[in-house]
Amino acid sequence: MGLFKSILSKVKQGLQRTRETVFGGLRSLLLGRRLDDALIEELEARLVQADVGVKTALRLIDGVKRAYQSGAMSTGDDVLEYLKRELKALWPAEDRSLHFAQASGDGKKSPTVILVAGVNGAGKTTSIAKIAHSLRAEGRTVLLAACDTFRAGAVRQLEIWSERLGIEVIKGQQGGDPAAVAFDACDAALARGVDVLIVDTAGRLHTQDHLMRQLTKIRDITARRIPGAPHEVLLVLDATTGQNAVRQAEEFARAIKVTGIFLSKLDGTAKGGVVIAIHEATKIPVKFIGVGETPEDVEPFDPENFIEALFTDR
Amino acid sequence: MFERLSEGFQAAFRRLKGQDRITENNVRESMADVRSALLEADVHYAVANDFCEQVVKDALGREVIKNVDPGQQMVQIVHESLVRLIGGEQAATPGVPRVSPGPTVIMMCGLQGSGKTTTCGKLAAYLKKRGRSVMLAAADLQRPAAVEQLRTVAEQVEKDMPGGSQVHFHSEPDKVAAYGQAVGAAIQVCQSAYRKAQQLGVDTLILDTAGRLHINDELMKELAGVKSAVPPHQTLLVVDAMTGQDAVNSAKSFHERLHVDGAILTKFDSDTRGGAALTVRRVTGAPILFIGVGEKLEALEEFHADRIAGRILGMGDVVSLVEKAQQEVSEADAAKMAEKMAKGQLTFDDFLEQMRSLRRMGPMKQILGMLPGVGSMLKDVTIDEKELDRIEGMVHSMTKEEREKPSIFNHSRRKRVAKGSGTKVEEVSKMVTRFETVSKLMKSMSGMGLRGRMSAMRDLQAGGSEMAGMPALPGFGMKKSTAMASPKSRFKKRK
């Protein structure tokens, strides 16, 4: 994918090196080893500990057990092949690029609207800074909408990022109506003719019906102001989240038709394996991963690297 | 929030029903289900395995009690083990210690986004309510606007939260820097906050530190630096209740570097199964002291292991509910209300007041979820809090006379109320009828014992199909129990 390439090549080189040593966990666990009960148990432990979910873990492990008992598999190398095949089947080739507004018949292009949502503390604002930075690096003009009018300091937080990045923010009053801010931001985006408008929203638990409805309203407002908006709806998901993330994804998808996941905080020890369960339940693709605190710390999601990382022991 | 975990347990115990004794085979079989349920609930792999192994051992070592079915017996064993695992052996008194001379220092730490700053505010409100003055110190110099956020939170606690004591705020905005830079400056901020708190005679100083990854060595060192420079009396780890298996890694690292004294679980009002609670407890050995149950500043509750274990097993959480009710309604008010009810003199004003105090206890779904057996029923139900707003609106649109004598309602009055509250005439009619039905019922029930009242409530529900949608008259079913007898004696009776 073209996006992010230019600025990321440098960062990626660094990460690639770490990958080869750290992410070779699956290989070092399996290659050259004879298959036995202890090894199967170790595999199960690593899968569960990566948050892939009990169902997925047990299904994979049952496959290994059956093949082991029937004699079809006898070495770690066999298992490695099997697991990679199975896990890759969970991540078919799919469109993981950002969707932009298309030019209309008369050649005019309205702004692309990216709506960003997630539970409290998922990392929405930092992720927005990352996306904005990358889009800018690609030569696109960006405008931000600070629709988190609820949490103390949220607007200021986005503002500080915008000052660092040199991007304008449209904001409202603390405690004001976030949909009204979205409305103004859409008008401002149209008036200024920017390429992309990124809408930051307040963190909310997916169990709070009234807050979820508020989110639907924000979505609808953008759709009414700008044709085809929102072109992209990103759910920011904390990689440390466990199986509850599936419920989050389902509820946010229902409220605002999520088109992609931004998996944040993958720079710790969390594996984010729950996105496999999410993919099985909702078919929402993971589009980006967040790997640090600076605006450069974002990468396009790569299933192969991701699967490798699931098995590392740390 | 433990609803789903409960389902897993219940399935496991159903298997045991109908078998006449506990054997190694049937126990192991049911524990496989329990293990899956625990893993599905995000309890760490190793913790879940150990737990199940322990339960099997306990179960097999027991005398088989005749005439008690093995399923029941296993529920008891699992419950006891759960309480032990989450609560530990010692009966930890929840709350915040107090040292003399002060100030008592509390250091908050945790990963990014776990909810430290919000929890600092909640803790300050908790202390203020108990007459303790507080200083909040902004030692998060890294997240943009974290200092502003804490300042706003401190002001809100000072202005809006109950209690007379003062809430101070300390910050040094000039020390703010980007993530990973100026590491160590937080130590000085905490030291000067401590000096200031001492001078002002503040009771408790709360240090809000920056969120950090447990593998960031430099930042973890900074926390250790704060810990030795301003020795806190309590170091609290703030953990997101939705955390998955990784809870084990972060809890372990924080504990190794800082020796955590207690944990606060946040976002407990989500529908997470909350296995992280078990993991954190097991890994740090430190008790879980509080849970965060909402976005508001008062949404912090003391953590009680036995109650949570009860919830896991689908036994409800009646004690918490009674405590909440006690906080909202004084005994005298309750007695007055009971008398009115007995005489059938309930007015719309009383009703409004009841509904308000019920709503102050928290979102309706959360409150109902605490009742035994209701939790799993509520799983797919959405309760429209807006409906309650509409009912309030209707009552507000009534005249004083109407509120006191619902019988005078005619069509034109109903039409006026509907117009005033932006509702439909049918809605108003339905509400008034329901109010009268319940009011009569209350009068007739006041002479009954608990059992009679319960069955009368059931009849009301069964005959209430035309009242579909939850908020029948929300106040009554529940408030009744606080009104009829003091909550404490009622709970004792039930036991």
Side-chain angles (χ1 to χ4, degrees), chain A residues 44-45 48 51 54 120 150-152 157 205-206 240 242-244 247 265 269 293 314, chain B residues 35 39-40 42 45 112 144 149 179 213-215 242 244-246 267 269 271 295:
Chain A
E44 185 193 69
V48 170
D51 287 319
V54 184
N120 315 60
F150 178 77
R151 181 172 63 83
Q157 187 180 352
L205 289 180
H206 51 289
T240 59
Q243 299 308 304
N244 189 249
R247 299 276 310 122
K265 310 187 197 176
T269 49
E293 291 285 330
R314 66 162 286 177
Chain B
R35 178 174 170 273
L39 292 178
E40 216 27 59
D42 296 322
Y45 186 81
Q112 292 102 330
Q149 186 186 352
Y179 183 82
L213 280 175
H214 51 288
I215 51 170
M242 297 184 283
Q245 298 279 321
D246 195 51
K267 308 177 205 174
D269 48 331
D271 53 357
E295 302 205 353

mmCIF file of all heavy atoms in Angstrom, chain A residues 44-45 48 51 54 120 150-152 157 205-206 240 242-244 247 265 269 293 314, chain B residues 35 39-40 42 45 112 144 149 179 213-215 242 244-246 267 269 271 295:
data_model
loop_
_atom_site.group_PDB
_atom_site.id
_atom_site.type_symbol
_atom_site.label_atom_id
_atom_site.label_comp_id
_atom_site.label_asym_id
_atom_site.label_seq_id
_atom_site.Cartn_x
_atom_site.Cartn_y
_atom_site.Cartn_z
ATOM 1 N N GLU A 44 -0.547 -24.648 23.071
ATOM 2 C CA GLU A 44 -1.853 -24.185 23.531
ATOM 3 C C GLU A 44 -1.687 -22.986 24.452
ATOM 4 O O GLU A 44 -2.371 -21.975 24.326
ATOM 5 C CB GLU A 44 -2.595 -25.308 24.268
ATOM 6 C CG GLU A 44 -4.004 -24.909 24.656
ATOM 7 C CD GLU A 44 -4.649 -25.862 25.656
ATOM 8 O OE1 GLU A 44 -4.198 -25.897 26.824
ATOM 9 O OE2 GLU A 44 -5.570 -26.566 25.279
ATOM 10 N N ALA A 45 -0.740 -23.094 25.380
ATOM 11 C CA ALA A 45 -0.498 -22.012 26.335
ATOM 12 C C ALA A 45 -0.166 -20.724 25.603
ATOM 13 O O ALA A 45 -0.693 -19.650 25.921
ATOM 14 C CB ALA A 45 0.634 -22.390 27.284
ATOM 15 N N VAL A 48 -3.304 -19.265 23.806
ATOM 16 C CA VAL A 48 -4.258 -18.656 24.744
ATOM 17 C C VAL A 48 -3.687 -17.358 25.296
ATOM 18 O O VAL A 48 -4.374 -16.345 25.398
ATOM 19 C CB VAL A 48 -4.614 -19.626 25.894
ATOM 20 C CG1 VAL A 48 -5.409 -18.901 26.976
ATOM 21 C CG2 VAL A 48 -5.416 -20.804 25.372
ATOM 22 N N ASP A 51 -4.183 -14.129 23.566
ATOM 23 C CA ASP A 51 -5.562 -13.628 23.521
ATOM 24 C C ASP A 51 -6.337 -14.022 22.276
ATOM 25 O O ASP A 51 -7.312 -13.376 21.927
ATOM 26 C CB ASP A 51 -5.609 -12.086 23.661
ATOM 27 C CG ASP A 51 -5.314 -11.627 25.079
ATOM 28 O OD1 ASP A 51 -5.803 -12.275 26.012
ATOM 29 O OD2 ASP A 51 -4.593 -10.628 25.247
ATOM 30 N N VAL A 54 -10.283 -18.888 23.514
ATOM 31 C CA VAL A 54 -10.248 -20.321 23.800
ATOM 32 C C VAL A 54 -10.713 -21.134 22.603
ATOM 33 O O VAL A 54 -10.125 -22.150 22.252
ATOM 34 C CB VAL A 54 -11.154 -20.656 25.001
ATOM 35 C CG1 VAL A 54 -11.046 -22.126 25.346
ATOM 36 C CG2 VAL A 54 -10.773 -19.823 26.189
ATOM 37 N N ASN A 120 -12.887 4.116 26.314
ATOM 38 C CA ASN A 120 -12.031 5.050 27.051
ATOM 39 C C ASN A 120 -10.607 4.491 27.162
ATOM 40 O O ASN A 120 -10.433 3.318 27.487
ATOM 41 C CB ASN A 120 -12.561 5.273 28.463
ATOM 42 C CG ASN A 120 -14.054 5.483 28.485
ATOM 43 O OD1 ASN A 120 -14.806 4.606 28.069
ATOM 44 N ND2 ASN A 120 -14.497 6.631 28.949
ATOM 45 N N PHE A 150 -16.509 15.784 26.242
ATOM 46 C CA PHE A 150 -16.856 15.283 27.579
ATOM 47 C C PHE A 150 -15.660 15.226 28.525
ATOM 48 O O PHE A 150 -15.650 15.850 29.571
ATOM 49 C CB PHE A 150 -17.497 13.896 27.473
ATOM 50 C CG PHE A 150 -17.830 13.312 28.815
ATOM 51 C CD1 PHE A 150 -18.952 13.759 29.512
ATOM 52 C CD2 PHE A 150 -17.012 12.362 29.410
ATOM 53 C CE1 PHE A 150 -19.259 13.251 30.755
ATOM 54 C CE2 PHE A 150 -17.308 11.856 30.658
ATOM 55 C CZ PHE A 150 -18.434 12.301 31.335
ATOM 56 N N ARG A 151 -14.623 14.495 28.145
ATOM 57 C CA ARG A 151 -13.526 14.288 29.084
ATOM 58 C C ARG A 151 -12.729 15.572 29.269
ATOM 59 O O ARG A 151 -12.408 16.265 28.308
ATOM 60 C CB ARG A 151 -12.588 13.179 28.597
ATOM 61 C CG ARG A 151 -11.442 12.916 29.576
ATOM 62 C CD ARG A 151 -10.626 11.702 29.213
ATOM 63 N NE ARG A 151 -9.940 11.811 27.937
ATOM 64 C CZ ARG A 151 -8.785 12.423 27.759
ATOM 65 N NH1 ARG A 151 -8.173 13.007 28.771
ATOM 66 N NH2 ARG A 151 -8.239 12.478 26.573
ATOM 67 N N ALA A 152 -12.409 15.841 30.529
ATOM 68 C CA ALA A 152 -11.608 17.015 30.838
ATOM 69 C C ALA A 152 -10.280 16.921 30.095
ATOM 70 O O ALA A 152 -9.628 15.883 30.101
ATOM 71 C CB ALA A 152 -11.366 17.087 32.342
ATOM 72 N N GLN A 157 -5.790 18.116 24.563
ATOM 73 C CA GLN A 157 -4.857 17.050 24.160
ATOM 74 C C GLN A 157 -4.725 17.007 22.631
ATOM 75 O O GLN A 157 -3.621 16.949 22.086
ATOM 76 C CB GLN A 157 -5.373 15.707 24.681
ATOM 77 C CG GLN A 157 -4.383 14.559 24.456
ATOM 78 C CD GLN A 157 -4.926 13.233 24.983
ATOM 79 O OE1 GLN A 157 -5.960 13.177 25.641
ATOM 80 N NE2 GLN A 157 -4.230 12.160 24.699
ATOM 81 N N LEU A 205 -17.781 3.394 26.651
ATOM 82 C CA LEU A 205 -17.926 1.954 26.738
ATOM 83 C C LEU A 205 -19.088 1.544 25.848
ATOM 84 O O LEU A 205 -20.109 2.221 25.808
ATOM 85 C CB LEU A 205 -18.170 1.518 28.179
ATOM 86 C CG LEU A 205 -16.945 1.646 29.095
ATOM 87 C CD1 LEU A 205 -17.296 1.200 30.504
ATOM 88 C CD2 LEU A 205 -15.778 0.822 28.578
ATOM 89 N N HIS A 206 -18.905 0.424 25.175
ATOM 90 C CA HIS A 206 -19.905 -0.043 24.224
ATOM 91 C C HIS A 206 -21.201 -0.453 24.908
ATOM 92 O O HIS A 206 -22.189 -0.731 24.257
ATOM 93 C CB HIS A 206 -19.326 -1.220 23.457
ATOM 94 C CG HIS A 206 -18.761 -2.273 24.359
ATOM 95 N ND1 HIS A 206 -17.599 -2.082 25.069
ATOM 96 C CD2 HIS A 206 -19.220 -3.488 24.709
ATOM 97 C CE1 HIS A 206 -17.363 -3.156 25.810
ATOM 98 N NE2 HIS A 206 -18.328 -4.019 25.611
ATOM 99 N N THR A 240 -3.962 -4.651 24.484
ATOM 100 C CA THR A 240 -3.948 -5.415 25.730
ATOM 101 C C THR A 240 -5.340 -5.947 26.094
ATOM 102 O O THR A 240 -5.475 -6.717 27.027
ATOM 103 C CB THR A 240 -3.457 -4.553 26.923
ATOM 104 O OG1 THR A 240 -4.313 -3.434 27.051
ATOM 105 C CG2 THR A 240 -2.043 -4.101 26.733
ATOM 106 N N GLY A 242 -8.672 -8.051 26.309
ATOM 107 C CA GLY A 242 -8.951 -9.479 26.183
ATOM 108 C C GLY A 242 -10.186 -9.735 25.340
ATOM 109 O O GLY A 242 -10.507 -8.964 24.435
ATOM 110 N N GLN A 243 -10.889 -10.805 25.662
ATOM 111 C CA GLN A 243 -11.994 -11.258 24.818
ATOM 112 C C GLN A 243 -13.141 -10.261 24.739
ATOM 113 O O GLN A 243 -13.975 -10.334 23.844
ATOM 114 C CB GLN A 243 -12.500 -12.615 25.314
ATOM 115 C CG GLN A 243 -11.427 -13.701 25.273
ATOM 116 C CD GLN A 243 -10.762 -13.790 23.911
ATOM 117 O OE1 GLN A 243 -11.436 -13.967 22.904
ATOM 118 N NE2 GLN A 243 -9.446 -13.640 23.862
ATOM 119 N N ASN A 244 -13.209 -9.316 25.658
ATOM 120 C CA ASN A 244 -14.263 -8.318 25.604
ATOM 121 C C ASN A 244 -14.178 -7.460 24.337
ATOM 122 O O ASN A 244 -15.158 -6.849 23.921
ATOM 123 C CB ASN A 244 -14.203 -7.417 26.846
ATOM 124 C CG ASN A 244 -15.399 -6.503 26.944
ATOM 125 O OD1 ASN A 244 -15.284 -5.301 26.794
ATOM 126 N ND2 ASN A 244 -16.573 -7.080 27.148
ATOM 127 N N ARG A 247 -16.898 -8.005 21.848
ATOM 128 C CA ARG A 247 -18.147 -7.292 22.125
ATOM 129 C C ARG A 247 -18.024 -5.823 21.705
ATOM 130 O O ARG A 247 -18.937 -5.256 21.136
ATOM 131 C CB ARG A 247 -18.489 -7.365 23.621
ATOM 132 C CG ARG A 247 -18.701 -8.762 24.145
ATOM 133 C CD ARG A 247 -20.118 -9.265 23.894
ATOM 134 N NE ARG A 247 -21.108 -8.298 24.328
ATOM 135 C CZ ARG A 247 -22.032 -7.780 23.528
ATOM 136 N NH1 ARG A 247 -22.066 -8.121 22.267
ATOM 137 N NH2 ARG A 247 -22.901 -6.917 24.003
ATOM 138 N N LYS A 265 -1.044 0.228 20.818
ATOM 139 C CA LYS A 265 -0.228 -0.270 21.940
ATOM 140 C C LYS A 265 0.365 -1.655 21.703
ATOM 141 O O LYS A 265 0.431 -2.475 22.625
ATOM 142 C CB LYS A 265 -1.048 -0.256 23.240
ATOM 143 C CG LYS A 265 -1.752 1.080 23.497
ATOM 144 C CD LYS A 265 -2.396 1.115 24.856
ATOM 145 C CE LYS A 265 -3.422 2.227 24.935
ATOM 146 N NZ LYS A 265 -4.153 2.267 26.165
ATOM 147 N N THR A 269 4.015 -5.901 25.653
ATOM 148 C CA THR A 269 4.110 -7.350 25.545
ATOM 149 C C THR A 269 2.804 -7.968 25.060
ATOM 150 O O THR A 269 2.737 -9.164 24.818
ATOM 151 C CB THR A 269 4.469 -7.967 26.909
ATOM 152 O OG1 THR A 269 3.610 -7.419 27.904
ATOM 153 C CG2 THR A 269 5.904 -7.658 27.271
ATOM 154 N N GLU A 293 4.851 5.999 20.880
ATOM 155 C CA GLU A 293 4.218 7.239 21.316
ATOM 156 C C GLU A 293 4.386 8.397 20.340
ATOM 157 O O GLU A 293 3.750 9.418 20.498
ATOM 158 C CB GLU A 293 4.796 7.661 22.673
ATOM 159 C CG GLU A 293 4.413 6.755 23.811
ATOM 160 C CD GLU A 293 2.970 6.966 24.250
ATOM 161 O OE1 GLU A 293 2.461 8.091 24.111
ATOM 162 O OE2 GLU A 293 2.355 6.002 24.719
ATOM 163 N N ARG A 314 6.903 -13.930 25.312
ATOM 164 C CA ARG A 314 7.192 -12.821 26.238
ATOM 165 C C ARG A 314 5.963 -12.017 26.508
ATOM 166 O O ARG A 314 4.999 -12.118 25.836
ATOM 167 C CB ARG A 314 8.302 -11.939 25.790
ATOM 168 C CG ARG A 314 8.385 -11.072 24.681
ATOM 169 C CD ARG A 314 9.367 -10.033 24.634
ATOM 170 N NE ARG A 314 9.022 -8.953 25.521
ATOM 171 C CZ ARG A 314 9.811 -7.924 25.670
ATOM 172 N NH1 ARG A 314 10.951 -7.884 25.049
ATOM 173 N NH2 ARG A 314 9.491 -6.924 26.446
ATOM 174 N N ARG B 35 -12.630 -24.297 33.478
ATOM 175 C CA ARG B 35 -11.377 -23.751 32.958
ATOM 176 C C ARG B 35 -11.626 -22.958 31.683
ATOM 177 O O ARG B 35 -11.121 -21.839 31.529
ATOM 178 C CB ARG B 35 -10.396 -24.905 32.704
ATOM 179 C CG ARG B 35 -9.084 -24.469 32.125
ATOM 180 C CD ARG B 35 -8.117 -25.656 32.051
ATOM 181 N NE ARG B 35 -6.931 -25.335 31.295
ATOM 182 C CZ ARG B 35 -6.839 -25.463 29.972
ATOM 183 N NH1 ARG B 35 -7.880 -25.893 29.272
ATOM 184 N NH2 ARG B 35 -5.727 -25.152 29.351
ATOM 185 N N LEU B 39 -10.827 -19.006 31.096
ATOM 186 C CA LEU B 39 -9.965 -18.506 30.022
ATOM 187 C C LEU B 39 -10.739 -17.548 29.133
ATOM 188 O O LEU B 39 -10.234 -16.501 28.726
ATOM 189 C CB LEU B 39 -9.432 -19.664 29.181
ATOM 190 C CG LEU B 39 -8.446 -20.597 29.871
ATOM 191 C CD1 LEU B 39 -8.030 -21.722 28.934
ATOM 192 C CD2 LEU B 39 -7.213 -19.840 30.352
ATOM 193 N N GLU B 40 -11.957 -17.902 28.841
ATOM 194 C CA GLU B 40 -12.825 -17.065 28.022
ATOM 195 C C GLU B 40 -13.048 -15.733 28.748
ATOM 196 O O GLU B 40 -13.298 -14.715 28.150
ATOM 197 C CB GLU B 40 -14.137 -17.812 27.843
ATOM 198 C CG GLU B 40 -14.901 -17.731 26.540
ATOM 199 C CD GLU B 40 -14.133 -17.466 25.259
ATOM 200 O OE1 GLU B 40 -13.232 -18.239 24.894
ATOM 201 O OE2 GLU B 40 -14.483 -16.477 24.624
ATOM 202 N N ASP B 42 -10.769 -14.200 30.338
ATOM 203 C CA ASP B 42 -9.463 -13.529 30.374
ATOM 204 C C ASP B 42 -8.658 -13.770 31.644
ATOM 205 O O ASP B 42 -7.720 -13.029 31.927
ATOM 206 C CB ASP B 42 -9.593 -12.012 30.152
ATOM 207 C CG ASP B 42 -10.124 -11.662 28.773
ATOM 208 O OD1 ASP B 42 -9.738 -12.355 27.812
ATOM 209 O OD2 ASP B 42 -10.906 -10.720 28.653
ATOM 210 N N TYR B 45 -3.808 -17.916 31.688
ATOM 211 C CA TYR B 45 -3.709 -19.358 31.451
ATOM 212 C C TYR B 45 -3.220 -20.131 32.680
ATOM 213 O O TYR B 45 -3.854 -21.085 33.130
ATOM 214 C CB TYR B 45 -2.746 -19.550 30.279
ATOM 215 C CG TYR B 45 -2.605 -20.959 29.781
ATOM 216 C CD1 TYR B 45 -3.559 -21.499 28.915
ATOM 217 C CD2 TYR B 45 -1.519 -21.740 30.141
ATOM 218 C CE1 TYR B 45 -3.431 -22.787 28.436
ATOM 219 C CE2 TYR B 45 -1.384 -23.032 29.666
ATOM 220 C CZ TYR B 45 -2.349 -23.549 28.819
ATOM 221 O OH TYR B 45 -2.213 -24.835 28.349
ATOM 222 N N GLN B 112 -0.720 3.134 29.931
ATOM 223 C CA GLN B 112 -1.459 4.225 29.297
ATOM 224 C C GLN B 112 -2.911 3.805 29.099
ATOM 225 O O GLN B 112 -3.191 2.681 28.698
ATOM 226 C CB GLN B 112 -0.880 4.563 27.912
ATOM 227 C CG GLN B 112 0.489 5.182 27.940
ATOM 228 C CD GLN B 112 1.561 4.175 27.598
ATOM 229 O OE1 GLN B 112 1.418 2.993 27.870
ATOM 230 N NE2 GLN B 112 2.637 4.647 27.020
ATOM 231 N N PRO B 144 -0.072 14.662 26.407
ATOM 232 C CA PRO B 144 -0.512 16.032 26.180
ATOM 233 C C PRO B 144 -1.788 16.308 26.963
ATOM 234 O O PRO B 144 -2.720 15.506 26.935
ATOM 235 C CB PRO B 144 -0.781 16.083 24.674
ATOM 236 C CG PRO B 144 0.017 14.979 24.085
ATOM 237 C CD PRO B 144 0.122 13.930 25.145
ATOM 238 N N GLN B 149 -6.133 18.105 32.417
ATOM 239 C CA GLN B 149 -7.215 17.185 32.763
ATOM 240 C C GLN B 149 -7.329 17.026 34.280
ATOM 241 O O GLN B 149 -8.413 17.123 34.843
ATOM 242 C CB GLN B 149 -6.968 15.811 32.114
ATOM 243 C CG GLN B 149 -8.135 14.850 32.330
ATOM 244 C CD GLN B 149 -7.851 13.457 31.816
ATOM 245 O OE1 GLN B 149 -6.840 13.209 31.157
ATOM 246 N NE2 GLN B 149 -8.736 12.517 32.109
ATOM 247 N N TYR B 179 6.648 12.384 25.365
ATOM 248 C CA TYR B 179 6.860 11.054 25.918
ATOM 249 C C TYR B 179 8.330 10.651 25.820
ATOM 250 O O TYR B 179 8.951 10.794 24.768
ATOM 251 C CB TYR B 179 6.013 10.027 25.161
ATOM 252 C CG TYR B 179 6.100 8.612 25.701
ATOM 253 C CD1 TYR B 179 5.329 8.227 26.798
ATOM 254 C CD2 TYR B 179 6.934 7.674 25.114
ATOM 255 C CE1 TYR B 179 5.395 6.937 27.290
ATOM 256 C CE2 TYR B 179 7.007 6.371 25.597
ATOM 257 C CZ TYR B 179 6.230 6.006 26.691
ATOM 258 O OH TYR B 179 6.290 4.727 27.183
ATOM 259 N N LEU B 213 4.670 1.995 29.565
ATOM 260 C CA LEU B 213 4.750 0.562 29.316
ATOM 261 C C LEU B 213 5.672 -0.053 30.354
ATOM 262 O O LEU B 213 6.710 0.508 30.687
ATOM 263 C CB LEU B 213 5.322 0.314 27.920
ATOM 264 C CG LEU B 213 4.331 0.469 26.779
ATOM 265 C CD1 LEU B 213 5.062 0.326 25.456
ATOM 266 C CD2 LEU B 213 3.220 -0.562 26.885
ATOM 267 N N HIS B 214 5.274 -1.221 30.824
ATOM 268 C CA HIS B 214 6.062 -1.886 31.854
ATOM 269 C C HIS B 214 7.427 -2.325 31.345
ATOM 270 O O HIS B 214 8.277 -2.703 32.120
ATOM 271 C CB HIS B 214 5.292 -3.081 32.382
ATOM 272 C CG HIS B 214 4.799 -3.993 31.293
ATOM 273 N ND1 HIS B 214 3.770 -3.640 30.468
ATOM 274 C CD2 HIS B 214 5.210 -5.202 30.888
ATOM 275 C CE1 HIS B 214 3.565 -4.615 29.593
ATOM 276 N NE2 HIS B 214 4.418 -5.563 29.826
ATOM 277 N N ILE B 215 7.620 -2.303 30.010
ATOM 278 C CA ILE B 215 8.928 -2.708 29.494
ATOM 279 C C ILE B 215 9.812 -1.504 29.182
ATOM 280 O O ILE B 215 10.938 -1.658 28.713
ATOM 281 C CB ILE B 215 8.804 -3.581 28.213
ATOM 282 C CG1 ILE B 215 7.904 -2.889 27.204
ATOM 283 C CG2 ILE B 215 8.262 -4.955 28.559
ATOM 284 C CD1 ILE B 215 7.912 -3.552 25.831
ATOM 285 N N MET B 242 -10.894 -4.740 31.412
ATOM 286 C CA MET B 242 -11.062 -5.456 30.155
ATOM 287 C C MET B 242 -9.763 -6.083 29.663
ATOM 288 O O MET B 242 -9.730 -6.695 28.596
ATOM 289 C CB MET B 242 -11.621 -4.511 29.088
ATOM 290 C CG MET B 242 -13.003 -3.969 29.424
ATOM 291 S SD MET B 242 -13.710 -2.955 28.116
ATOM 292 C CE MET B 242 -12.821 -1.431 28.344
ATOM 293 N N GLY B 244 -6.685 -8.392 28.832
ATOM 294 C CA GLY B 244 -6.628 -9.825 28.549
ATOM 295 C C GLY B 244 -5.472 -10.505 29.263
ATOM 296 O O GLY B 244 -5.101 -10.136 30.380
ATOM 297 N N GLN B 245 -4.884 -11.463 28.602
ATOM 298 C CA GLN B 245 -3.839 -12.283 29.191
ATOM 299 C C GLN B 245 -2.604 -11.462 29.585
ATOM 300 O O GLN B 245 -1.855 -11.850 30.457
ATOM 301 C CB GLN B 245 -3.429 -13.373 28.190
ATOM 302 C CG GLN B 245 -4.551 -14.329 27.845
ATOM 303 C CD GLN B 245 -4.731 -15.397 28.896
ATOM 304 O OE1 GLN B 245 -3.769 -15.908 29.437
ATOM 305 N NE2 GLN B 245 -5.976 -15.728 29.198
ATOM 306 N N ASP B 246 -2.413 -10.331 28.913
ATOM 307 C CA ASP B 246 -1.216 -9.536 29.169
ATOM 308 C C ASP B 246 -1.206 -8.905 30.563
ATOM 309 O O ASP B 246 -0.177 -8.419 31.023
ATOM 310 C CB ASP B 246 -1.081 -8.444 28.106
ATOM 311 C CG ASP B 246 0.309 -7.831 28.090
ATOM 312 O OD1 ASP B 246 1.279 -8.603 28.022
ATOM 313 O OD2 ASP B 246 0.423 -6.603 28.178
ATOM 314 N N LYS B 267 -13.226 0.628 34.553
ATOM 315 C CA LYS B 267 -14.133 0.252 33.445
ATOM 316 C C LYS B 267 -14.896 -1.029 33.763
ATOM 317 O O LYS B 267 -15.171 -1.839 32.888
ATOM 318 C CB LYS B 267 -13.353 0.126 32.129
ATOM 319 C CG LYS B 267 -12.509 1.363 31.827
ATOM 320 C CD LYS B 267 -11.681 1.215 30.568
ATOM 321 C CE LYS B 267 -10.468 2.118 30.642
ATOM 322 N NZ LYS B 267 -9.550 1.926 29.531
ATOM 323 N N ASP B 269 -17.822 -1.194 34.533
ATOM 324 C CA ASP B 269 -19.205 -1.098 34.086
ATOM 325 C C ASP B 269 -19.368 -1.571 32.650
ATOM 326 O O ASP B 269 -20.450 -1.538 32.098
ATOM 327 C CB ASP B 269 -19.714 0.345 34.222
ATOM 328 C CG ASP B 269 -18.747 1.372 33.649
ATOM 329 O OD1 ASP B 269 -17.530 1.114 33.656
ATOM 330 O OD2 ASP B 269 -19.201 2.428 33.189
ATOM 331 N N ASP B 271 -19.175 -4.791 29.865
ATOM 332 C CA ASP B 271 -19.642 -6.157 30.053
ATOM 333 C C ASP B 271 -18.481 -7.148 30.032
ATOM 334 O O ASP B 271 -18.642 -8.302 29.673
ATOM 335 C CB ASP B 271 -20.698 -6.527 29.004
ATOM 336 C CG ASP B 271 -20.207 -6.273 27.584
ATOM 337 O OD1 ASP B 271 -19.078 -5.760 27.431
ATOM 338 O OD2 ASP B 271 -20.948 -6.575 26.637
ATOM 339 N N GLU B 295 -18.410 6.856 34.384
ATOM 340 C CA GLU B 295 -17.612 8.013 34.020
ATOM 341 C C GLU B 295 -17.685 9.115 35.063
ATOM 342 O O GLU B 295 -16.855 10.006 35.090
ATOM 343 C CB GLU B 295 -18.090 8.552 32.672
ATOM 344 C CG GLU B 295 -18.008 7.501 31.566
ATOM 345 C CD GLU B 295 -17.888 8.120 30.187
ATOM 346 O OE1 GLU B 295 -18.000 9.348 30.075
ATOM 347 O OE2 GLU B 295 -17.663 7.359 29.228
#
